Amino acid sequence: MKPIKTFSLVAVLIAAALASTAFINFKPLKKAAAANKGFAVIELFTSEGCSSCPPADALVARIEKESKDKPVYILSFHVDYWNRLGWKDQFSSADFSKRQSEYSRYLNLQGVYTPQIVVNGKTEFVGSEEGTLRNAIRTNLEKLSSAQVELNISAIDQKQASLNYTVEGADKNTVLQVAVLEKAATSKVTRGENDGRTLSHVQIVRELQQVALAANNGTANIELPHGFDSKNWEVIGFLQNRTTGAITGAARASFSANAIASAAVKEMK
């Protein structure tokens, strides 16, 4: 009986030691996982002049609604090359068409098309493929991100906002892409392929600005588009490799009450 008791005591002590070690190791691992959590930057290339695009616009709207509490960042880029079909997309820009063409080069594609979705700068597919999009989001949320970025808007005036950023894990080929987005809008289309339809959009990119990262933190002046309204707009910033197009980290920032109050004081002066 005595040897059994001794063995039991030793086993208890060993188990306690292992449990203690596991507890000590668990906390930092959990903290690291939280700090490097996965994310999904979803870039939709769309156009009001394209009859195939409304289903993709509706899909990202559903994803946006479902993902409010997740690191899922939707950016809708309206390209301008379908404007020639008779309807000029009011949100379109040649700069956004150029960005899509850059992805064609990054991903070795034969050309551009709409609707197209690119996830984290690495994967592309037809923008209305719901199952493919959901799988891509799930896969990227489960991965650990290699870099992190934090954003804060500190001040706003009539034409610009001051954006403070802190970056970790970015290499020398990485830049900070800053998108100013209108959260939602509708259009009544009177010509072209979507003639007679009222189209709804979410997360519409109105300005895209590239910030060179000379240091791990800094402040950038961000241009605010015509029609800016702090209540219906936000900023999404993401770290992108200039050589591969891969996106390694992302964050969003809202136009806070403090920043707006700062702008009001400036106007009074």
Side-chain angles (χ1 to χ4, degrees):
M1 294 295 293
K2 188 173 182 180
I4 294 176
K5 287 182 180 180
T6 303
F7 178 78
S8 299
L9 178 60
V10 171
V12 169
L13 291 173
I14 292 173
L18 289 173
S20 176
T21 302
F23 179 75
I24 292 170
N25 290 333
F26 176 74
K27 291 183 72 176
L29 285 175
K30 185 175 181 181
K31 184 177 180 180
N36 295 279
K37 62 184 178 181
F39 68 95
V41 172
I42 301 164
E43 297 179 68
L44 169 65
F45 294 94
T46 185
S47 171
E48 291 186 341
C50 161
S51 60
S52 301
C53 288
D57 294 328
L59 172 58
V60 296
R62 291 198 299 274
I63 297 295
E64 171 68 12
K65 187 175 181 179
E66 295 170 10
S67 306
K68 292 293 185 182
D69 59 342
K70 298 177 182 178
V72 175
Y73 308 96
I74 294 174
L75 303 96
S76 295
F77 290 96
H78 287 238
V79 298
D80 70 339
Y81 49 81
W82 293 127
N83 291 352
R84 57 183 171 80
L85 297 181
W87 174 254
K88 184 177 180 180
D89 187 335
Q90 64 173 319
F91 305 114
S92 66
S93 169
D95 290 339
F96 303 156
S97 298
K98 181 180 178 182
R99 179 167 180 79
Q100 187 183 26
S101 294
E102 289 174 349
Y103 273 126
S104 182
R105 176 174 59 83
Y106 285 139
L107 301 174
N108 296 314
L109 305 178
Q110 296 298 315
V112 298
Y113 65 93
T114 55
Q116 180 188 35
I117 280 178
V118 179
V119 179
N120 284 2
K122 301 175 183 178
T123 306
E124 70 85 28
F125 46 88
V126 175
S128 54
E129 293 181 353
E130 182 168 357
T132 305
L133 176 57
R134 291 186 181 278
N135 286 336
I137 293 172
R138 186 180 306 110
T139 298
N140 282 283
L141 290 182
E142 291 173 353
K143 294 179 180 179
L144 296 183
S145 60
S146 59
Q148 294 81 46
V149 57
E150 294 182 2
L151 304 174
N152 175 261
I153 298 170
S154 58
I156 306 170
D157 62 25
Q158 294 180 337
K159 296 182 179 180
Q160 291 185 330
S162 295
L163 180 72
N164 303 322
Y165 62 86
T166 301
V167 174
E168 292 183 5
D171 62 28
K172 63 181 181 180
N173 289 323
T174 298
V175 295
L176 175 62
Q177 301 278 10
V178 180
V180 181
L181 300 99
E182 188 172 2
K183 294 181 182 180
T186 59
S187 291
K188 292 183 179 180
V189 180
T190 59
R191 293 185 301 278
E193 291 189 352
N194 289 311
D195 183 14
R197 302 183 67 173
T198 298
L199 303 180
S200 298
H201 311 293
V202 298
Q203 298 300 97
I204 311 153
V205 179
R206 301 299 298 273
E207 293 285 343
L208 182 67
Q209 185 171 328
Q210 182 173 291
V211 178
L213 298 173
N216 289 337
N217 55 72
T219 300
N221 291 323
I222 305 302
E223 299 295 324
L224 297 177
H226 176 72
F228 168 78
D229 172 6
S230 60
K231 295 180 181 179
N232 192 40
W233 295 63
E234 69 176 359
V235 166
I236 290 178
F238 52 97
L239 301 171
Q240 187 163 37
N241 187 290
R242 293 176 295 179
T243 303
T244 66
I247 295 172
T248 56
R252 62 166 38 93
S254 61
F255 293 92
S256 67
N258 290 338
I260 296 169
S262 174
V265 170
K266 285 184 179 181
E267 289 182 8
M268 290 176 64
K269 291 180 179 179

